[in-house]
Amino acid sequence: MLCSHCHQVIKVAAVKSQRGSGFNAQIQCPHCRAWLGRSPTLMKLKVFAFYSSLAAGLYSYFDTSMSHIMLPVMIFSVMLLLVSNFMDHLQTIEAPEKTDDSDQRQKYR
């Protein structure tokens, strides 16, 4: 995973803090301490698209008389799945507080 706040790589084993559960789960970046999460709407859309494409594919496989209707439904569901998967990424939910380190930076100027 890539942190959307500090742009550093986050290893799953390094994540110590988590809040929420299910689609509203959030993790805390171990580098910058920002809270990161995914969009619950896109996650629900992705799950819906996956299961609808699976159901349409199985239904058209076992009932060949409905394949001319179910095949476009399956194709549309797979396209929706791919688009929602590309759009779904970690977002900064709560950025950490900025600390005033101007005295530290003044030393090195």
Side-chain angles (χ1 to χ4, degrees):
M1 292 186 292
L2 189 64
C3 179
S4 61
H5 186 71
C6 65
H7 307 291
Q8 292 186 5
V9 176
I10 303 171
K11 295 183 180 178
V12 177
V15 174
K16 302 286 188 237
S17 301
Q18 178 181 350
R19 64 182 179 191
S21 62
F23 293 124
N24 295 321
Q26 298 174 358
I27 61 168
Q28 191 173 25
C29 176
H31 305 291
C32 66
R33 312 304 291 168
W35 286 98
L36 308 170
R38 297 186 187 271
S39 171
T41 307
L42 284 174
M43 292 289 289
K44 290 174 187 174
L45 188 64
K46 189 177 359 176
V47 169
F48 171 74
F50 173 75
Y51 284 115
S52 64
S53 66
L54 182 68
L58 288 175
Y59 191 66
S60 68
Y61 180 75
F62 289 113
D63 188 8
T64 57
S65 65
M66 294 295 289
S67 65
H68 66 282
I69 296 173
M70 287 298 151
L71 198 58
V73 170
M74 184 179 68
I75 291 171
F76 178 73
S77 297
V78 169
M79 287 178 5
L80 185 65
L81 175 66
L82 290 174
V83 168
S84 62
N85 190 36
F86 288 142
M87 291 176 56
D88 190 27
H89 52 82
L90 286 176
Q91 302 170 351
T92 303
I93 304 296
E94 184 179 325
E97 295 180 11
K98 291 192 173 214
T99 58
D100 185 26
D101 60 345
S102 59
D103 56 337
Q104 282 285 21
R105 287 188 284 149
Q106 190 65 27
K107 280 195 250 182
Y108 300 107
R109 288 188 179 176

